[in-house]
Amino acid sequence: MSQYKLLVRSANQVVTVRNNGVRVVRGKDMQAVDVIDEDDNDGINILINKSGKIEFVGKNSKFEEKYKNITVDVEIDATGKCVIPGLVDAHTHPVWAGDRVHEFAMKLAGATYMDVHTAGGGINFTVEHTRAASEDLLYTGLKQRLLNMISTGTTTVECKSGYGLEVDTEVKMLEVIDRASKEIPITISSTFLGAHSVPRGKTPEEATNDVISVQLPKIVKLMSDGLLKVDNIDVFCEKGVFDVDQSKRILVAGKDAGLQINFHGDELNPLEGAEMGAELGALAISHLEEISEQGIRAMVEAGSIGVVLPTTAYILRIKPPPVRLMIDSGMAVALGSDYNPNAHCSSMPMVMHLACVLMHMSMPEALIAATLNAAAALGLAETHGSIEVGKYGDLVVIGANRWEHLIYQLGSHDKLIDCVIRHGDIVYQRV
């Protein structure tokens, strides 16, 4: 039996992101990533042990001094190539049934998000189809979407429920996510989003009470019985959906149940959701297109991470969040694809490119936001998000001599990514 699971040998460049134990990168510290470059034909090696964790990162000369006559299951020759951490997608809605391609035509004709919502489309359209779908149908769709994400370099992803809006379908969605976490080679952070929209026939207040008094207790019981794993609580805090007070009550109930607060705030209207979330000690707040300067200050002081979603602003043709101000003010910013029937993009390389062009992020800022900070937004930065000894061996091997090509070459990730590694196992390899 071999001693080690995987050896990546002789890489031209390895982007560790951070190699000093830092677990989240804030503000202007996001301007640079930690990189090990080959010099004098002395390439970089990464050794992953049988537990799937990184045991060595460094120059081949140091490796040869330390490791003599070892055996490995798999060896990858990375000569002339570069390696980055596995990408982390901090915000997705990947469990659903039904097709909303017709809504894209409506948006192109000028309809706003809320126009589509009011006309019976949007979330409620997907809710109708998801409620009617079997668990196996939902799982089949989720599996293909997750495999697509893996092929674009994602090794860790946040997955939300939220297309049930009543207890049975919300539980069904969370069980599908739980099954995927056990059967598909990707790390999943599971989020309960029973407050994604107000279901037909209910008022926002009635929907709030249903989430707190019916849905959440059922989910907590399944968790306590060891039948379900859920990590985060979410709510769509928005005008015409759940107001700040209702959102706060839902988030507090989730926090009291042991869930991390990670929610939609200040997307379409400036409701001071960021201030409310900061007050509750939210781990992360997503969207933030309409965040105020006071909200930015509150999140910085609370240490809450801002998860920005370039595809949302792009597809809805709305102004992007003030990311430059957020970073310059000292906030830790993470990235997510917001993958859902409205924003049909599962590629984090594409998301990073859009973040640079639409939100004026630099490439180092985008990579940090899509790796270490995205892991921190999910409470996973102790074990994910950077290439460091002791962390899981989640890697992307890129067929280029500099890592920036993955962002620079728009839409070319399928030609650039040679292989994707999770916990030391090759989970995708370009043919």
Side-chain angles (χ1 to χ4, degrees):
M1 179 180 289
S2 59
Q3 298 164 281
Y4 295 93
K5 183 178 278 191
L6 182 109
L7 173 63
V8 177
R9 184 183 288 279
S10 303
N12 184 75
Q13 184 182 67
V14 171
V15 185
T16 61
V17 175
R18 283 295 182 272
N19 57 21
N20 56 359
V22 168
R23 294 298 176 251
V24 64
V25 186
R26 303 185 187 279
K28 294 180 180 178
D29 288 342
M30 293 180 65
Q31 292 176 357
V33 292
D34 291 342
V35 179
I36 307 172
D37 284 307
E38 176 189 66
D39 58 68
D40 297 326
N41 294 316
D42 193 4
I44 304 102
N45 293 358
I46 304 170
L47 183 66
I48 300 175
N49 63 28
K50 288 290 191 175
S51 298
K53 293 189 175 181
I54 298 167
E55 184 164 311
F56 176 89
V57 184
K59 296 294 182 65
N60 183 60
S61 56
K62 296 288 186 183
F63 178 84
E64 297 295 344
E65 289 176 10
K66 185 172 183 179
Y67 296 95
K68 307 288 185 182
N69 302 316
I70 65 167
T71 56
V72 298
D73 291 337
V74 177
E75 181 171 324
I76 295 173
D77 180 5
T79 302
K81 301 175 182 180
C82 61
V83 183
I84 64 171
L87 301 175
V88 181
D89 190 341
H91 183 121
T92 80
H93 305 255
V95 185
W96 44 270
D99 189 338
R100 281 163 55 186
V101 67
H102 61 285
E103 292 181 10
F104 187 51
M106 293 172 64
K107 296 186 188 84
L108 294 177
T112 67
Y113 178 90
M114 292 309 292
D115 289 339
V116 173
H117 185 81
T118 303
I123 292 171
N124 283 326
F125 177 89
T126 302
V127 166
E128 179 182 343
H129 288 78
T130 303
R131 285 178 176 176
S134 68
E135 186 171 322
D136 283 343
L137 179 65
L138 292 176
Y139 178 79
T140 298
L142 175 61
K143 179 179 179 179
Q144 187 56 58
R145 293 163 195 148
L146 293 177
L147 292 175
N148 289 343
M149 291 178 184
I150 291 168
S151 73
T152 68
T154 297
T155 55
T156 301
V157 60
E158 184 262 8
C159 296
K160 304 178 190 295
S161 67
Y163 293 124
L165 310 184
E166 47 80 25
V167 64
D168 290 339
T169 308
E170 287 295 317
V171 167
K172 177 173 65 175
M173 293 181 71
L174 291 169
E175 288 176 339
V176 166
I177 293 168
D178 201 37
R179 177 181 169 188
S181 72
K182 297 169 184 175
E183 298 182 7
I184 300 171
I186 188 169
T187 300
I188 293 177
S189 180
S190 176
T191 299
F192 168 50
L193 180 52
H196 196 191
S197 181
V198 177
R200 293 189 179 103
K202 277 190 165 62
T203 65
E205 186 62 22
E206 289 170 338
T208 299
N209 291 333
D210 185 69
V211 169
I212 294 171
S213 302
V214 179
Q215 297 182 41
L216 189 58
K218 173 70 171 180
I219 289 163
V220 170
K221 177 66 164 59
L222 290 169
M223 291 169 62
S224 65
D225 290 344
L227 300 175
L228 191 64
K229 182 179 183 295
V230 183
D231 304 291
N232 315 293
I233 181 75
D234 195 351
V235 60
F236 188 15
C237 180
E238 184 54 68
K239 182 179 179 181
V241 192
F242 296 94
D243 66 25
V244 171
D245 177 69
Q246 292 160 344
S247 298
K248 183 176 181 179
R249 285 155 50 201
I250 290 167
L251 296 173
V252 168
K255 184 177 182 179
D256 289 345
L259 302 178
Q260 300 172 142
I261 295 177
N262 189 330
F263 73 102
H264 293 60
D266 294 328
E267 177 183 354
L268 303 174
N269 293 279
L271 299 186
E272 299 185 356
E275 290 90 326
M276 178 269 289
E279 178 189 339
L280 297 181
L283 177 62
I285 306 173
S286 291
H287 281 289
L288 303 173
E289 286 84 356
E290 295 289 344
I291 191 173
S292 66
E293 291 189 23
Q294 182 178 343
I296 291 173
R297 288 194 296 272
M299 286 183 64
V300 170
E301 291 172 7
S304 300
I305 298 167
V307 180
V308 297
L309 312 168
T311 59
T312 305
Y314 175 75
I315 290 170
L316 296 182
R317 293 172 170 172
I318 60 177
K319 72 174 184 179
V323 175
R324 282 268 47 97
L325 181 60
M326 292 159 66
I327 292 175
D328 293 344
S329 299
M331 188 185 294
V333 169
L335 281 168
S337 69
D338 197 19
Y339 180 82
N340 70 77
N342 170 62
H344 212 288
C345 175
S346 58
S347 165
M348 286 302 289
M350 183 78 78
V351 168
M352 289 190 286
H353 181 97
L354 291 175
C356 293
V357 175
L358 297 180
M359 298 179 173
H360 306 285
M361 295 178 75
S362 68
M363 287 190 285
E365 288 170 340
L367 185 64
I368 290 170
T371 53
L372 186 56
N373 279 6
L378 304 177
L380 295 173
E382 286 293 326
T383 50
H384 297 73
S386 58
I387 301 176
E388 296 183 76
V389 171
K391 286 197 170 187
Y392 281 111
D394 292 359
L395 314 171
V396 181
V397 179
I398 302 168
N401 61 355
R402 293 184 60 87
W403 68 269
E404 292 96 337
H405 280 280
L406 189 62
I407 299 175
Y408 161 63
Q409 294 191 31
L410 174 63
S412 296
H413 49 264
D414 58 328
K415 304 296 191 299
L416 286 166
I417 294 175
D418 279 358
C419 67
V420 179
I421 297 157
R422 175 183 175 265
H423 295 189
D425 295 315
I426 296 174
V427 294
Y428 168 80
Q429 191 152 26
R430 181 161 56 92
V431 178

